[in-house]
Amino acid sequence: MTERPPQRIPNRQLAALIAEAGFSNAGLARRVDQLGLEHGLDLRYDKTSVTRWLRGQQPRGTTPALIAEVFTRRLGRRLSAQDLGLDACAPVYAGLEFAATPEEAVDIVSGLWRKDSGSHVELRKIAFTPAGLVVPSRDWLIGRADERVSRGEAVQNGTIRVPQQGRASVPRQRGTERGPGQKVSGGDIAALRSVGELFRSLDNAYGGGHARQALVRYLEHEAEPMLRGTYGEVTGRRLFAAAADLTRLAGWTSYDIAAHGLAQRYFVQALRLAQAAGDRAYGSYVLVTMSRQAVYLGHGREAVQLTRVAQQGVGSSAPPVVQALLHAVEARGHGVLGEVRACTAALVRAERALETARPGDDVPHWARFFDEAQLADEFGHCHRDLQQYRSAVQHAERSLQLRAPAYARSRLFCRVVLASARLGLGELDQACALGAEAALQASEMRSARAVEYVRDFERRLEPYRDAAAVRNYRDRVAALG
């Protein structure tokens, strides 16, 4: 006698939620497919797939988390896979969500920190997905600062009460390691800011791979307990602002080592933390950072859209330096697309905005790097991309003259732009000499971007591979290995 296959139990939880949401089977499948595309997944579900789920079949992989996210967006409340009667799984795309509340934002970003600080190598292999830029940037643009970010109650008699977590009162002792529930002070936030400056300096000088893991562990072990501590509204906004800055930096260093999908997730979470901080201008800076990554990966249209969202979101009240930054990065997107007129117009707007800046202006700390040297660098990149090589040489040389040595990686990039422009003008000897200098610098950094800049230059050399200058260049570079 043959055994019958086990009978599946109909999924009544899923059926009830489908009815509540007003979905047809085909409509639910279509929304799951669309959400999958946002995260770089080609799923191709249909109404028959949903029928199977209703009969008790469990979808595989990350699909249960995607289905839960579809219902969360539709019904306006957070739902898990278990709420839908589906098996839970750890979604590999986690981190592209734009959280509904500050508490949820802390949960998402701290989960990202923990995974990244562990041995989750696959996290660094996740692909960048242009479609994943749409929802977070839109939600930031139409969203408002959270009404309340404070947590816990004030300190009374040396004891901190944390009613949100249902914990017993926790006595705070001097010299003990910080844990969830402890009161966050101004000194704690100042420490976060100082650590950010330290890691930023290391990144500029030695590349993102030099101390990235130390930064992520710091976020996990220091920033997360603070975010889960107790603080009032003013301190809470400052705390979220500092956490946003460090999270953006973790994304920037991930981008520099070519962990592009991971970097994208850090940027999305930094954007959400900036919203909790009520810092609209910093949110625009995160979008500019996302735009730079899109430019680097060749997604010019998305890069332009991100900068325009940033401009719209921050308005005309931003300091001239910030306005100049936004226009300059928009120009980079147009340059990648070969849009000469739009690129030139954006560069002119950037130049005019920077000309109106005054020494006494209140410039945010994160925008102070944008000066004449940086603007000249942006001009040089754009003119190179538009094959306007004489102008590219002029601006790249000016940037190198003005740029401080501490910005070693930026100087390397600019030197490669100059080398490529010299090559475009037929000045082969000078181009190879500049390229060899850049290759030497790249060999001393932990920066995938630096290596890729040099490789791009070498691809441009290929038509001249038999020339003596190019053979000499290859010999010099080979000796570095």
Side-chain angles (χ1 to χ4, degrees):
M1 182 176 179
T2 59
E3 293 185 4
R4 293 182 179 180
Q7 294 293 316
R8 292 195 176 101
I9 301 173
N11 190 335
R12 293 187 174 86
Q13 291 169 267
L14 180 59
L17 285 166
I18 288 175
E20 181 183 352
F23 287 148
S24 65
N25 287 8
L28 174 57
R30 183 174 63 254
R31 286 170 174 83
V32 173
D33 287 348
Q34 289 170 345
L35 184 57
L37 286 175
E38 288 181 24
H39 301 297
L41 303 171
D42 185 14
L43 299 175
R44 303 188 187 186
Y45 288 117
D46 56 23
K47 62 181 181 180
T48 304
S49 307
V50 178
T51 300
R52 288 197 292 266
W53 301 339
L54 287 168
R55 290 174 179 169
Q57 184 183 87
Q58 291 289 332
R60 296 178 180 179
T62 62
T63 300
L66 288 168
I67 299 170
E69 181 63 21
V70 166
F71 280 101
T72 293
R73 294 183 182 184
R74 177 71 164 213
L75 300 175
R77 65 179 188 273
R78 176 55 60 188
L79 291 164
S80 67
Q82 293 97 323
D83 295 327
L84 277 65
L86 302 173
D87 290 338
C89 66
V92 297
Y93 64 84
L96 288 178
E97 312 96 317
F98 197 81
T101 65
E103 293 82 5
E104 185 183 350
V106 171
D107 287 341
I108 293 172
V109 76
S110 59
L112 198 56
W113 297 336
R114 284 195 298 274
K115 289 176 184 176
D116 191 14
S117 69
S119 58
H120 295 266
V121 178
E122 73 278 0
L123 197 66
R124 293 158 214 166
K125 296 179 181 177
I126 299 173
F128 174 89
T129 167
L133 301 169
V134 177
V135 172
S137 57
R138 180 204 65 197
D139 288 355
W140 175 84
L141 181 61
I142 66 177
R144 298 177 180 176
D146 298 283
E147 293 183 4
R148 184 188 66 82
V149 298
S150 59
R151 290 186 87 254
E153 296 180 355
V155 178
Q156 295 177 343
N157 300 323
T159 299
I160 299 170
R161 297 169 59 201
V162 195
Q164 295 95 327
Q165 294 181 330
R167 296 173 183 262
S169 297
V170 181
R172 185 177 185 183
Q173 300 176 0
R174 292 182 180 274
T176 58
E177 185 177 344
R178 172 172 300 283
Q182 293 191 354
K183 183 174 175 61
V184 178
S185 68
D188 292 325
I189 296 169
L192 291 178
R193 291 292 188 193
S194 295
V195 166
E197 290 306 311
L198 170 63
F199 280 107
R200 216 179 318 276
S201 298
L202 291 170
D203 171 66
N204 286 328
Y206 304 108
H210 182 73
R212 195 191 77 87
Q213 280 303 111
L215 171 59
V216 173
R217 291 191 184 101
Y218 181 85
L219 284 163
E220 179 190 7
H221 296 293
E222 298 294 335
E224 181 184 356
M226 290 185 200
L227 289 166
R228 298 191 187 280
T230 62
Y231 39 83
E233 284 299 316
V234 173
T235 299
R237 303 282 179 196
R238 293 176 59 211
L239 173 60
F240 274 96
D245 192 40
L246 285 171
T247 301
R248 191 211 70 90
L249 184 56
W252 183 256
T253 56
S254 301
Y255 159 44
D256 197 48
I257 65 167
H260 291 296
L262 177 58
Q264 183 180 19
R265 283 147 181 78
Y266 273 124
F267 294 149
V268 169
Q269 296 315 311
L271 189 65
R272 183 59 182 90
L273 294 173
Q275 179 170 301
D279 193 338
R280 201 70 171 163
Y282 191 79
S284 74
Y285 179 48
V286 176
L287 287 168
V288 160
T289 307
M290 296 164 74
S291 178
R292 287 197 185 280
Q293 184 187 26
V295 164
Y296 178 78
L297 295 174
H299 301 291
R301 185 59 56 208
E302 288 79 3
V304 170
Q305 290 170 348
L306 286 166
T307 55
R308 288 181 174 171
V309 169
Q311 292 166 25
Q312 186 177 349
V314 78
S316 59
S317 61
V321 171
V322 174
Q323 298 284 358
L325 170 61
L326 296 177
H327 292 306
V329 179
E330 179 188 344
R332 293 288 301 277
H334 289 301
V336 166
L337 293 169
E339 297 172 343
V340 178
R341 184 176 297 179
C343 181
T344 303
L347 287 174
V348 169
R349 290 194 297 271
E351 190 171 37
R352 288 175 179 170
L354 194 61
E355 285 173 351
T356 64
R358 296 293 176 264
D361 289 349
D362 184 17
V363 179
H365 72 92
W366 45 265
R368 290 172 191 158
F369 78 97
F370 197 86
D371 54 12
E372 287 186 42
Q374 182 62 40
L375 182 60
D377 180 278
E378 309 288 4
F379 267 83
H381 274 84
C382 287
H383 287 301
R384 180 206 60 181
D385 291 342
L386 296 174
Q387 299 182 20
Q388 298 170 343
Y389 296 123
R390 201 161 298 283
S391 293
V393 165
Q394 175 188 348
H395 290 290
E397 286 184 336
R398 175 168 171 74
S399 181
L400 287 169
Q401 288 168 1
L402 297 175
R403 178 85 74 179
Y407 293 96
R409 185 181 54 210
S410 294
R411 289 178 60 83
L412 183 157
F413 293 163
C414 194
R415 185 167 279 109
V416 174
V417 168
L418 179 56
S420 299
R422 290 286 185 198
L423 182 63
L425 293 173
E427 300 168 359
L428 192 57
D429 289 343
Q430 288 177 275
C432 287
L434 288 161
E437 289 179 38
L440 173 61
Q441 287 180 295
S443 70
E444 296 172 347
M445 289 186 181
R446 295 184 186 177
S447 169
R449 281 193 299 153
V451 172
E452 181 54 33
Y453 262 70
V454 173
R455 286 176 178 166
D456 175 72
F457 171 70
E458 290 176 349
R459 286 190 287 270
R460 294 169 187 261
L461 281 180
E462 192 58 27
Y464 313 93
R465 58 183 174 273
D466 294 329
V470 176
R471 291 200 303 270
N472 183 51
Y473 166 85
R474 295 195 184 282
D475 290 342
R476 292 176 65 183
V477 172
L480 297 175

